[in-house]
Amino acid sequence: MKVLVAVKRVIDYNVNVRVKADGSGVETSNVKMSMNPFDEIAVEEAVRLKEAGIADEVVAVTVGSAASQETLRTALAMGADRGIHVVSDEELQPLAVAKVLKSICLEETPDLVIVGKQAIDDDSNQTGQMLAAMMKWPQGTFASKVELNDSKAVVIREVDGGLETVGLSMPCVVTTDLRLNEPRYASLPNIMKAKKKPIEEKKASELGVDIAPRLTVVNVSEPPKREAGIVVEDVSQLVDKLKNVAKVI
Ligand code: AMP
């Protein structure tokens, strides 16, 4: 069984993101970048399937600039067998990434594709769903548990009211939620070994898919600054403030 995992290079989740002065986006120069945390969970799940003898091969795919290779190397150091780097100097929107992943799926014919439920930079939560739709494959989104047996995937999903269990025929797409697993840190020997693992490079513009953006970012702004709180003297004053100042009751 072959597992394909998508990994995106994003601003590290610990970084205090700064909006560019002209409102065109956020500052990425001289900012620490890392693998999207939900994609670390995707890689971990795929590697565990390999360690359990269920998967034979784990292929990591990234779509992005030359620097994204670093993210692929992290996936390889965590245990993926090989990488595919779809090079694009433009930041691709989720629809375009889904089309690129579709083209890779048609070539690689994986049994299972695992992607993050969302990339923490654009918070789109779209790529996995669009890929599944375009491949006409079933999808198990927001997975907090995945079990594979008899060419079926059983996915426990985190939904508003609790947990939902769905059975999917394979090939299928699974998107990871936070509680699926705790990703490992790559050990130094594995980081060294990962340097020798193969990475195939392809140009996004040469895959024959329409990657033109469909959305224009009109403006990016910082959230309003939180105002200082006040100390109220008693419950009636609290109720008054909630009713007449905050207008929440
Ligand atoms: P999004 O729909 O942008 O929130 O992203 C959801 C998931 O799709 C991410 O967690 C990744 O697994 C995958 N993905 C999105 N963009 C890329 C990219 N440029 N390269 C590789 N994977 C991506």
Side-chain angles (χ1 to χ4, degrees), residues 15-27:
V15 169
N16 207 347
V17 176
R18 276 177 300 120
V19 172
K20 283 185 188 163
D22 63 2
S24 63
V26 297
E27 280 298 347

Side-chain angles (χ1 to χ4, degrees), residues 191-209:
I191 293 173
M192 300 312 287
K193 272 192 227 154
K195 290 187 200 285
K196 295 207 179 98
K197 290 187 181 177
I199 291 183
E200 185 187 349
E201 270 193 22
K202 293 168 181 289
K203 283 209 171 95
S205 53
E206 289 172 6
L207 292 178
V209 295

Side-chain angles (χ1 to χ4, degrees), residues 122-144:
D122 59 26
D123 276 341
S124 295
N125 177 4
Q126 296 174 355
T127 308
Q129 292 89 328
M130 292 200 282
L131 171 65
M134 287 193 287
M135 293 301 292
K136 298 190 168 58
W137 287 353
Q139 56 182 293
T141 51
F142 314 127
S144 63

Side-chain angles (χ1 to χ4, degrees), residues 5-9 36 38-39 42 61-64 91-94 97 101 114-130 176:
V5 270
V7 293
K8 185 178 186 188
R9 182 173 185 265
N36 182 43
F38 292 107
D39 303 351
V61 188
T62 196
V63 186
E91 174 85 17
L92 297 193
Q93 292 177 355
V97 175
L101 293 177
I114 314 181
V115 307
K117 77 166 179 183
Q118 76 195 67
I120 61 164
D121 52 359
D122 59 26
D123 276 341
S124 295
N125 177 4
Q126 296 174 355
T127 308
Q129 292 89 328
M130 292 200 282
T176 60

